[in-house]
Amino acid sequence: MSNDVPLILITNDDGLMSPGIVAAAEAVEGLGELLLVAPKEQQTSMSHALPKGKTIGSIEEVAVRVKGRTVTGFAVDGSPAQAVSHAVLELAGRKPDLCISGINYGENLGLGLSISGTVGAAFEADAYDIPGLAVSLEADLSVQHSSDYADLNWDAARFFTRRIARQILAEGLPDRVAVINLNVPHDASESTPVVQTRQSRQQYFVFARPQPRDRTMPFKFSVEIDVDLDRLEPDSDVQALIYDRSVSVTPLTWDMTAKSAWHVDPNSD
């Protein structure tokens, strides 16, 4: 296909067989050439991890149906970030113009962004100077980490994915913006308000305290949602999505430097 046509890399952290990646592909169908590359298996909460193992980096071609036509997808044995690197460095014939990570089963908000494989994949794209769009659809906790993909209504998420993707393709991202984090309420429609937000400093997803147990046995924490309304920032992603029922759009950056007046004491021992 001509280099005049944008190349759109589509990935996620739920796996190549997730209906969410198909929904993302359907959302941007016609906006450019599509390249689907995602982890072979469920990789939720992998952040920007680069795991090791005997089969890491192996890639399988898989037929994916997008709006009635067959698209070749690539299932990577590895993390979301690794899938993006394989896509950019050996599967794409040219540099992608946009990377869409999603559509994720479950919202990515607050300090939960630090563990999000969806956001991690989008940041990996930015490492190659490719604009990243992370997209998540609010969902019940019970389906967020599952490989038994629940039946969700993707209509609104598709609509807003296309809207934001088209804007990024036309305008690019502003300086110092690496990723746009898009979160869509499960009950959204095309008329749902869109609000630009900032990342909340609240944890949002928290581990529940374990009951007494045999500590020599394997254990997995259960996850709960916890929001302190008294401290919730009115312009935050959590406020917009959970309480205002708006579509949240948050510009993100790599910069983790604290904006503070703290200085090291040169005279301390």
Side-chain angles (χ1 to χ4, degrees):
M1 189 170 288
S2 169
N3 287 358
D4 294 334
V5 176
L7 176 60
I8 303 174
L9 168 61
I10 303 178
T11 190
N12 71 4
D13 70 354
D14 290 322
L16 184 65
M17 303 313 296
S18 168
I21 197 170
V22 175
E26 292 172 340
V28 295
E29 175 75 8
L31 295 184
E33 180 184 356
L34 306 184
L35 175 62
L36 277 61
V37 186
K40 180 178 179 180
E41 299 176 345
Q42 172 66 259
Q43 293 284 307
T44 291
S45 299
M46 286 295 285
S47 185
H48 197 248
L50 304 176
K52 300 177 181 179
K54 292 182 178 180
T55 62
I56 291 293
S58 60
I59 302 174
E60 177 184 353
E61 292 189 15
V62 179
V64 181
R65 296 291 288 176
V66 178
K67 285 194 172 182
R69 71 183 182 95
T70 299
V71 175
T72 299
F74 298 89
V76 177
D77 191 329
S79 70
Q82 286 172 320
V84 170
S85 280
H86 283 287
V88 174
L89 297 177
E90 62 175 341
L91 295 173
R94 54 194 170 98
K95 179 180 173 181
D97 298 277
L98 172 65
C99 174
I100 299 175
S101 181
I103 300 170
N104 188 63
Y105 273 84
E107 61 273 26
N108 278 297
L109 305 170
L111 298 186
L113 300 192
S114 64
I115 64 169
S116 168
T118 303
V119 174
F123 269 109
E124 182 71 2
D126 177 72
Y128 296 101
D129 197 28
I130 299 167
L133 171 60
V135 187
S136 303
L137 176 62
E138 182 187 21
D140 189 83
L141 278 173
S142 63
V143 305
Q144 290 194 22
H145 293 189
S146 176
S147 295
D148 297 324
Y149 303 114
D151 186 17
L152 301 183
N153 184 340
W154 303 98
D155 290 348
R158 274 192 293 255
F159 174 80
F160 289 106
T161 298
R162 186 178 183 87
R163 176 173 163 181
I164 300 300
R166 180 185 284 153
Q167 180 177 350
I168 295 173
L169 287 170
E171 303 174 2
L173 292 179
D175 290 342
R176 295 184 295 279
V177 174
V179 169
I180 297 297
N181 188 35
L182 172 64
N183 282 275
V184 181
H186 69 78
D187 53 354
S189 69
E190 294 182 7
S191 61
T192 297
V194 179
V195 180
Q196 184 164 323
T197 58
R198 66 185 176 102
Q199 179 188 2
S200 174
R201 288 181 57 83
Q202 296 206 22
Q203 188 69 24
Y204 188 73
F205 293 117
V206 298
F207 289 138
R209 185 180 297 275
Q211 297 297 316
R213 65 182 184 90
D214 181 353
R215 296 177 186 168
T216 65
M217 300 301 293
F219 176 80
K220 182 179 179 180
F221 281 108
S222 60
V223 177
E224 301 173 343
I225 293 174
D226 182 37
V227 178
D228 184 345
L229 287 173
D230 291 335
R231 296 190 302 110
L232 184 60
E233 310 91 337
D235 58 347
S236 68
D237 49 7
V238 175
Q239 176 67 46
L241 186 85
I242 302 303
Y243 297 102
D244 298 340
R245 310 309 298 164
S246 298
V247 175
S248 170
V249 178
T250 312
L252 303 176
T253 177
W254 285 94
D255 187 2
M256 299 176 69
T257 306
K259 309 300 189 292
S260 73
W262 187 88
H263 297 284
V264 65
D265 182 354
N267 299 315
S268 62
D269 294 332

